[in-house]
């Protein structure tokens, strides 16, 4: 029997162990999609205790604590931090098979030097150990440095001033590039009650009066200029499904005018508006050589009681099972037929969509970029061992796994970089198994290229990031 959380965790064959320790583990991290705060990076936030690091805003943990019968005051309420941590430790003991179990213990091992299990009995000792390390200088920046991160991309609204990104860029002492990502979800959500108010906010940021759809797109392009100056090379859209409901320009202007006047829109009008918005953005991304991320398949804010108390991102979202492939291909085709389809990464939340996306991306590949259209890493409810294996196996079966751009944290926590380790171990075990079964030759050169590529190098090339002063990709 293997020792708990030993150095060969999740590695079941000799080939897997060799691939991981020799090629995957030493690679740095390029975290091209996360939700951590650029302000907290700049200010090098310190933490009073481990509960602040682990439980602030982490809806993954909140969901499981509720499932373990923990009262809300000990999750998001006013209970003392130590009590919250103890209740999470008790919950973790029940989380056998859940990725949180491995993530949490990898974080304890890599950042705090703790090798044992966390449970109700060990909670007090782990609390003291972690807090001593935090008081000793384990700050936000130190966590990033310890993780061997070369570059990370936050998620930012078009109206954001990007002041904290500028401050980080001006700070030569950090050594890790922190770039913004363009996330215009609020600008493409006319169904929201606060949409007119948001347009005023965006207009002030762009110094533009937004009185038409054309003016909206103009304001967004103006803001994109600032994002580009700050090094942005990626956009991101969160969608219930990838939609395609084309309409004439005059119809879109009428829809926009009606919403600006305070009228509500029909579901069809909302789809028409969002389709027009995505097409305009996609063309602009292609012109600027930005990549477009499409995260889809979530039904949000299902528990009204919790939503009223805590708002969005409270751990009350689920998989949405409506995702017509015809709409997805319609959107991509509308951009491709005019040679304006940008590099695109599609993240389905429903694992049933893995094969659908795997076949869709194959329809729009072209010779300009290897893996131009990507199926994104197993996301949110799928970023566990079985979900990652399913995503990579489907991608390998229908496309080219060797061109995959790999893992991202998609997290609000500075400790979540161990998710890259977790992913790399699963990757190496999967490929190592194929090699030991005789399904792929024991060709060390080829295996090194594949493992290093998926772990780090493919993403550097795909996004064209300037790593250590050298741009490695040009369109």
């Amino acid at each position: 029997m293997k020792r708990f959380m030993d150095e060969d965790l999740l590695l079941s064959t000799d080939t897997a162990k060799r691939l991981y320790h020799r090629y995957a583990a030493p690679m740095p991290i390029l975290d091209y999609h996360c939700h951590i705060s650029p302000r907290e990076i700049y200010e090098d936030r310190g933490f009073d205790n481990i509960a602040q690091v682990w439980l602030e805003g982490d809806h993954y943990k909140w969901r499981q604590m509720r499932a373990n019968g923990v009262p809300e005051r000990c999750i998001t309420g006013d209970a003392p931090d130590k009590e919250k941590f103890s209740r999470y430790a008790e919950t973790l003991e029940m989380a056998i098979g859940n990725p949180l179990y491995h993530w949490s213990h990898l974080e304890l091992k890599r950042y705090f030097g703790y090798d044992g299990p966390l449970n109700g009995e060990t909670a007090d000792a782990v609390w003291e150990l972690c807090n001593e390390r935090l008081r000793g200088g384990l700050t936000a920046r130190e966590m990033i440095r310890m993780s061997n991160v070369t570059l990370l991309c936050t998620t930012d609204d078009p109206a954001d001033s990007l002041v904290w990104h500028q401050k980080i860029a001006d700070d030569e002492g950090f050594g890790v590039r922190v770039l913004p990502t363009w996330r215009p979800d609020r600008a493409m959500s006319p169904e929201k009650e606060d949409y007119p108010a948001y347009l005023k906010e965006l207009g002030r940021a762009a110094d533009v009066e937004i009185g038409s759809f054309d003016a909206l797109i103009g304001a967004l392009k103006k803001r994109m200029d600032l994002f580009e100056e700050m090094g942005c090379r990626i956009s991101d859209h969160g969608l219930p499904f990838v939609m395609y409901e084309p309409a004439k320009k005059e119809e879109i202007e009428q829809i926009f005018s009606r919403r600006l006047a305070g009228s509500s829109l029909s579901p069809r009008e909302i789809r028409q508006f969002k389709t027009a918005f995505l097409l305009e953005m996609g063309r602009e991304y292609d012109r600027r050589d930005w990549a477009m991320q499409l995260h889809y398949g979530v039904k949000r804010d299902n528990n009204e009681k919790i939503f009223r108390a805590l708002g969005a991102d409270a751990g009350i979202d689920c998989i949405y099972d409506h995702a017509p492939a015809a709409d997805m291909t319609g959107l991509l085709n509308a951009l491709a037929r005019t040679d304006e389809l940008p590099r695109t990464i599609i993240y389905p939340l429903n694992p049933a969509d893995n094969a659908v996306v795997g076949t869709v991306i194959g329809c729009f590949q072209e010779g300009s970029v290897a893996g131009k259209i990507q199926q994104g890493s197993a996301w949110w409810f799928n970023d566990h061992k079985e979900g990652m294996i399913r995503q990579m196996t489907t991608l390998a079966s229908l496309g080219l796994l060797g061109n995959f751009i790999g893992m991202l944290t998609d997290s609000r926590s500075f400790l979540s970089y161990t998710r890259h380790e977790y992913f790399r171990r699963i990757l190496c075990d999967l490929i190592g198994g194929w090699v030991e079964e005789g399904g792929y030759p024991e060709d060390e050169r080829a295996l090194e290229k594949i493992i290093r590529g998926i772990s780090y190098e493919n993403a550097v090339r795909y996004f064209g990031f300037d790593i250590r002063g050298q741009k490695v990709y040009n369109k």
Side-chain angles (χ1 to χ4, degrees):
M1 184 171 64
K2 294 174 66 174
R3 185 169 58 86
F4 172 66
M5 297 293 293
D6 72 1
E7 290 306 306
D8 291 329
L9 174 71
L10 300 174
L11 304 172
S12 59
T13 66
D14 289 341
T15 302
K17 295 171 187 177
R18 184 179 77 253
L19 294 178
Y20 176 73
H21 293 297
R22 185 175 295 178
Y23 304 125
M27 296 303 291
I29 288 173
L30 194 160
D31 193 22
Y32 56 87
H33 177 66
C34 73
H35 296 277
I36 59 177
S37 163
R39 177 173 183 169
E40 291 183 356
I41 297 174
Y42 174 72
E43 294 180 342
D44 197 15
R45 181 185 174 184
F47 299 88
D48 296 330
N49 58 64
I50 183 62
Q52 291 181 3
V53 183
W54 263 6
L55 297 174
E56 285 185 7
D58 193 334
H59 51 79
Y60 283 83
K61 295 184 177 72
W62 297 352
R63 286 174 68 96
Q64 304 312 325
M65 292 173 76
R66 291 176 189 134
N68 204 41
V70 177
E72 197 66 32
R73 69 174 294 271
C74 296
I75 303 172
T76 62
D78 60 0
D81 283 349
K82 186 174 182 181
E83 184 176 356
K84 292 180 178 180
F85 175 76
S86 295
R87 300 305 294 268
Y88 177 64
E90 294 168 359
T91 298
L92 197 62
E93 189 172 358
M94 299 293 104
I96 184 170
N98 190 292
L100 274 175
Y101 196 85
H102 284 152
W103 295 348
S104 297
H105 283 94
L106 283 171
E107 290 170 15
L108 290 173
K109 186 169 186 174
R110 299 300 177 222
Y111 298 98
F112 300 98
Y114 178 70
D115 283 323
L118 174 61
N119 52 43
E121 294 181 0
T122 62
D124 286 348
V126 174
W127 169 266
E128 295 298 333
L129 173 68
C130 292
N131 294 348
E132 181 179 0
R133 181 73 179 91
L134 290 167
R135 290 191 295 267
L138 187 57
T139 60
R141 290 193 181 194
E142 182 60 19
M143 294 172 191
I144 294 171
R145 290 191 190 98
M146 287 177 66
S147 306
N148 196 19
V149 177
T150 59
L151 184 150
L152 64 91
C153 298
T154 60
T155 303
D156 308 275
D157 186 88
D160 194 296
S161 70
L162 302 186
V163 61
W164 301 107
H165 285 89
Q166 184 63 63
K167 288 178 179 290
I168 295 169
D170 291 341
D171 183 354
E172 298 180 357
F174 184 30
V176 178
R177 296 197 70 195
V178 179
L179 303 180
T181 292
W182 177 261
R183 179 75 176 243
D185 286 3
R186 293 179 70 194
M188 69 173 290
S189 299
E191 73 277 15
K192 301 290 187 182
E193 283 188 21
D194 66 347
Y195 189 67
Y198 174 73
L199 292 181
K200 291 180 180 179
E201 179 186 347
L202 177 62
R204 287 192 296 269
D207 194 23
V208 170
E209 185 74 26
I210 302 178
S212 66
F213 182 73
D214 268 355
L216 169 62
I217 299 303
L220 289 168
K221 289 179 180 179
K222 191 172 180 182
R223 295 301 296 165
M224 291 171 85
D225 290 340
L226 174 63
F227 273 66
E228 193 158 47
E229 288 175 14
M230 294 305 303
C232 176
R233 298 188 58 79
I234 309 176
S235 67
D236 186 37
H237 298 266
L239 305 164
F241 63 96
V242 182
M243 59 200 66
Y244 185 64
E245 186 90 34
K248 295 179 181 179
K249 183 175 180 180
E250 301 78 38
E251 293 178 280
I252 301 302
E253 288 292 0
Q254 290 171 4
I255 291 170
F256 187 84
S257 295
R258 289 183 58 243
R259 182 64 189 95
L260 207 59
S263 297
S264 59
L265 304 178
S266 70
R268 182 170 184 266
E269 288 174 324
I270 292 169
R271 293 194 302 272
Q272 288 175 322
F273 178 90
K274 292 190 175 188
T275 298
F277 188 100
L278 282 170
L279 290 173
E280 290 285 352
M281 290 293 98
R283 295 178 185 117
E284 190 64 19
Y285 302 151
D286 181 70
R287 189 184 72 80
R288 294 175 185 264
D289 194 21
W290 289 9
M292 175 171 68
Q293 296 180 104
L294 301 174
H295 285 86
Y296 82 89
V298 57
K299 186 176 184 298
R300 297 185 182 274
D301 307 325
N302 296 288
N303 187 321
E304 185 178 344
K305 177 182 176 182
I306 292 179
F307 178 69
R308 286 200 307 265
L310 301 176
D313 300 318
I316 52 173
D317 306 322
C318 71
I319 291 172
Y320 187 51
D321 61 356
H322 174 76
D327 280 23
M328 187 187 306
T329 56
L331 181 77
L332 298 179
N333 185 56
L335 293 168
R337 66 172 166 245
T338 56
D339 291 324
E340 294 175 293
L341 178 62
R343 280 167 289 146
T344 301
I345 312 162
I346 305 172
Y347 304 82
L349 191 56
N350 190 339
D353 288 348
N354 279 338
V356 172
V357 173
T359 58
V360 167
I361 65 176
C363 298
F364 296 96
Q365 305 289 12
E366 59 179 55
S368 61
V369 183
K372 177 178 178 178
I373 314 300
Q374 291 267 336
Q375 180 178 357
S377 178
W379 171 48
W380 198 347
F381 296 119
N382 300 303
D383 56 2
H384 47 75
K385 179 180 177 181
E386 296 305 319
M388 291 180 182
I389 290 173
R390 282 197 299 266
Q391 182 266 335
M392 287 190 284
T393 301
T394 304
L395 178 56
S397 299
L398 299 172
L400 296 176
L401 181 62
N403 288 335
F404 179 34
I405 58 173
M407 189 58 177
L408 47 100
T409 63
D410 192 23
S411 174
R412 292 166 175 79
S413 171
F414 290 99
L415 295 181
S416 289
Y417 294 107
T418 53
R419 295 184 189 181
H420 284 258
E421 177 181 345
Y422 179 77
F423 165 81
R424 291 175 185 182
R425 288 176 178 273
I426 293 166
L427 166 70
C428 291
D429 194 60
L430 179 65
I431 291 179
W434 290 340
V435 172
E436 296 221 353
E437 291 168 359
Y440 192 88
E442 194 172 10
D443 180 337
E444 203 70 9
R445 179 201 60 79
L447 291 168
E448 176 183 2
K449 181 179 180 181
I450 290 170
I451 296 299
R452 287 170 58 96
I454 297 173
S455 297
Y456 178 75
E457 292 174 350
N458 290 350
V460 176
R461 286 192 294 268
Y462 184 81
F463 294 112
F465 286 129
D466 186 353
I467 301 293
R468 298 188 180 92
Q470 182 176 0
K471 190 172 181 180
V472 297
Y473 164 75
N474 285 287
K475 186 176 177 181

